[in-house]
């Protein structure tokens, strides 16, 4: 089946059956564009464990400059760069403060506890995604051998598609530093936060001693994340990356995709945000649905539980893929056009009019 794609779209966002689907499960499902594939094909490579891969080195240098850090480290996944950060900041028996809904606590397999003997101290997230300053203050343990040693505050931006206000970020990181804690940002979608606020990438991460940036979500690379921090922290990170199995050899082939993504795909995230807002407004017209107002590229649709099975079947019949639930998360990305979303909205409207 031959399918035409708009300029900048992926060359072949196809399912295993060879047919094109509209996939709203996540922005991790994107396929590399033709231009990104060309960059991957042409990439110069070397052995990155020896530090010899010129494309990996170029990606790391570019990421460090973009986000305002001394150095950066390329790794296979955001889960690994977050774990590297926790291992580099904390020792055995230490503790990190983290939101109850944060990815590093809830969705990364308990890696810090299992592999690092690091205790998470989860704290309830506020409706805007932040952790209340007074809750952070109260969770910091006193210097007493009865307690784990509180070493790190870990925040996430965006979280559930919500952007942490810069004033809050400044207050939270200042509080942590004043109490002797390091700060880490799970910035899997930090570029979305920067674009939404219209500020530079180095400004959106101010106050954090380190940041993990995912290249394979909205930025459209097929794999990889970068961990940014001081030269000393990144040297520690290299050792942990090796232990975790993240030392890759001729990795320039995939690093080229990440470099292309950072150089070309950050401003276009605004299109995903606009598409999410449009879809939310259309779905909100369906009276039985409760629809969140998205800040970035993620929206949530709450519906009667009994509607889920039938709606899922109706969407699948139209080659629309979602992770169905009574509160359904929909994510826009570079492989979804406005025309695609018009079709999605029409399927929703038709189903609920039956």
């Amino acid at each position: 089946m031959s399918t035409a794609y708009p300029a900048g779209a992926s060359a072949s966002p196809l399912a295993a059956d060879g047919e094109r689907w509209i996939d709203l499960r996540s922005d991790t499902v994107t396929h590399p564009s033709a231009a990104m594939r060309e960059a991957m094909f042409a990439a110069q490579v070397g052995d990155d464990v020896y530090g010899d891969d010129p494309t990996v080195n170029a990606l790391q240098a570019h990421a460090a400059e973009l986000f305002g850090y001394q150095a950066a480290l390329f790794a296979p996944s955001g889960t690994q760069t977050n774990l590297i950060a926790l291992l580099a900041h904390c020792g055995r028996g230490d503790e990190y403060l983290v939101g109850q809904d944060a990815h590093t606590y809830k969705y990364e397999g308990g890696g810090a506890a299992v592999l690092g003997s690091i205790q998470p101290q989860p704290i309830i997230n506020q409706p805007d995604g932040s952790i209340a300053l007074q809750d952070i203050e109260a969770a910091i343990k006193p210097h007493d051998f009865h307690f784990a040693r509180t070493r790190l505050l870990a925040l996430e931006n965006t979280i559930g598609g919500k952007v942490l206000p810069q004033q809050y970020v400044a207050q939270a990181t200042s509080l942590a530093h004043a109490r002797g804690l390091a700060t880490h940002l799970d910035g899997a979608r930090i570029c979305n936060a920067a674009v939404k606020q219209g500020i530079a990438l180095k400004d959106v991460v101010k106050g954090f001693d380190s940041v993990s940036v995912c290249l394979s979500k909205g930025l459209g690379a097929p794999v990889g994340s970068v961990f940014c921090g001081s030269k000393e922290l990144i040297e520690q990170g290299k050792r942990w990356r090796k232990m975790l199995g993240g030392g890759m050899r001729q990795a320039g082939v995939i690093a080229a995709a990440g470099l292309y993504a950072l150089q070309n795909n950050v401003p276009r995230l605004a299109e995903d945000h606009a598409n999410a807002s449009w879809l939310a407004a259309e779905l909100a017209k369906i009276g039985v649905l409760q629809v969140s107002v998205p800040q970035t590229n993620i929206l949530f649709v709450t519906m009667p539980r009994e509607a889920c099975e039938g709606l899922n079947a109706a969407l699948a019949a139209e080659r629309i893929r979602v992770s169905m639930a009574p509160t359904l998360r929909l994510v826009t990305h570079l492989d979804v056009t406005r025309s695609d979303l018009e079709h999605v909205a029409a399927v929703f409207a038709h189903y609920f009019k039956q």
Side-chain angles (χ1 to χ4, degrees):
M1 177 178 176
S2 177
T3 305
Y5 300 103
S10 297
S12 55
L14 306 179
D17 61 4
E19 297 291 335
R20 182 174 185 267
W21 284 67
I22 301 169
D23 198 334
L24 298 173
R25 291 173 298 171
S26 178
D27 45 9
T28 62
V29 302
T30 58
H31 291 224
S33 65
M36 183 179 284
R37 290 174 185 267
E38 290 176 7
M40 296 170 71
F41 179 79
Q44 293 184 319
V45 299
D47 191 321
D48 183 49
V49 174
Y50 287 112
D52 292 343
D53 191 299
T55 308
V56 173
N57 292 341
L59 167 62
Q60 292 172 163
H62 185 64
E65 181 180 4
L66 271 183
F67 290 95
Y69 290 89
Q70 293 178 347
L73 183 66
F74 181 52
S77 71
T79 296
Q80 188 167 109
T81 49
N82 277 329
L83 182 54
I84 288 170
L86 295 174
L87 292 168
H89 283 296
C90 301
R92 184 179 177 87
D94 288 345
E95 168 185 272
Y96 74 106
L97 309 183
V98 62
Q100 186 83 39
D101 297 327
H103 212 278
T104 52
Y105 170 67
K106 194 173 183 179
Y107 299 108
E108 295 184 357
V114 174
L115 301 177
S117 297
I118 302 166
Q119 173 175 287
Q121 172 59 71
I123 308 171
I124 189 170
N125 288 96
Q126 299 300 307
D128 67 354
S130 66
I131 305 172
L133 299 178
Q134 61 268 30
D135 290 344
I136 295 173
E137 183 82 50
I140 300 172
K141 306 301 185 292
H143 295 290
D144 183 319
F145 58 68
H146 292 91
F147 302 106
R149 296 163 296 196
T150 310
R151 296 294 197 209
L152 177 71
L153 171 65
L155 298 179
E156 183 174 341
N157 196 12
T158 64
I159 179 165
K162 298 173 182 177
V163 178
L164 295 183
Q166 287 303 109
Q167 182 179 8
Y168 166 78
V169 168
Q171 292 171 333
T173 55
S174 295
L175 168 60
H177 290 148
R179 293 297 303 273
L181 308 185
T183 54
H184 172 67
L185 177 65
D186 176 2
R189 295 184 176 90
I190 192 60
C191 295
N192 293 85
V195 168
K196 174 63 177 179
Q197 297 177 96
I199 60 177
L201 295 177
K202 62 180 57 179
D203 291 331
V204 79
V205 298
K206 277 185 178 177
F208 291 99
D209 298 304
S210 62
V211 61
S212 168
V213 181
C214 190
L215 305 170
S216 63
K217 290 188 168 69
L219 296 182
V223 64
S225 288
V226 285
F227 171 50
C228 303
S230 67
K231 290 180 180 179
E232 179 183 1
L233 196 66
I234 296 306
E235 285 303 311
Q236 294 180 56
K238 288 179 182 177
R239 179 173 180 83
W240 288 119
R241 185 184 69 173
K242 181 64 177 176
M243 281 189 185
L244 296 172
M248 298 179 286
R249 300 300 177 176
Q250 287 71 36
V253 175
I254 54 176
L259 184 59
Y260 179 92
L262 286 176
Q263 291 175 335
N264 296 278
N265 287 354
V266 174
R268 67 146 307 280
L269 292 172
E271 180 181 341
D272 298 339
H273 300 172
N275 280 339
S277 294
W278 183 90
L279 180 60
E282 290 299 304
L283 296 182
K285 296 175 183 177
I286 303 172
V288 71
L289 302 180
Q290 296 179 10
V291 186
S292 68
V293 178
Q295 295 181 26
T296 55
N297 66 323
I298 299 175
L299 61 141
F300 294 89
V301 181
T302 301
M303 69 192 77
R305 182 175 294 274
E306 60 270 20
C308 291
E309 184 176 355
L311 176 60
N312 196 50
L315 291 168
E318 294 295 323
R319 296 194 175 276
I320 300 166
R321 184 172 283 130
V322 300
S323 296
M324 183 55 66
T327 297
L328 172 64
R329 187 184 82 155
L330 300 176
V331 186
T332 56
H333 50 78
L334 60 80
D335 283 349
V336 176
T337 66
R338 181 63 63 87
S339 177
D340 291 334
L341 297 179
E342 289 171 355
H343 183 51
V344 171
V347 174
F348 268 83
H350 181 265
Y351 178 80
F352 285 104
K353 285 180 180 177
Q354 292 179 346

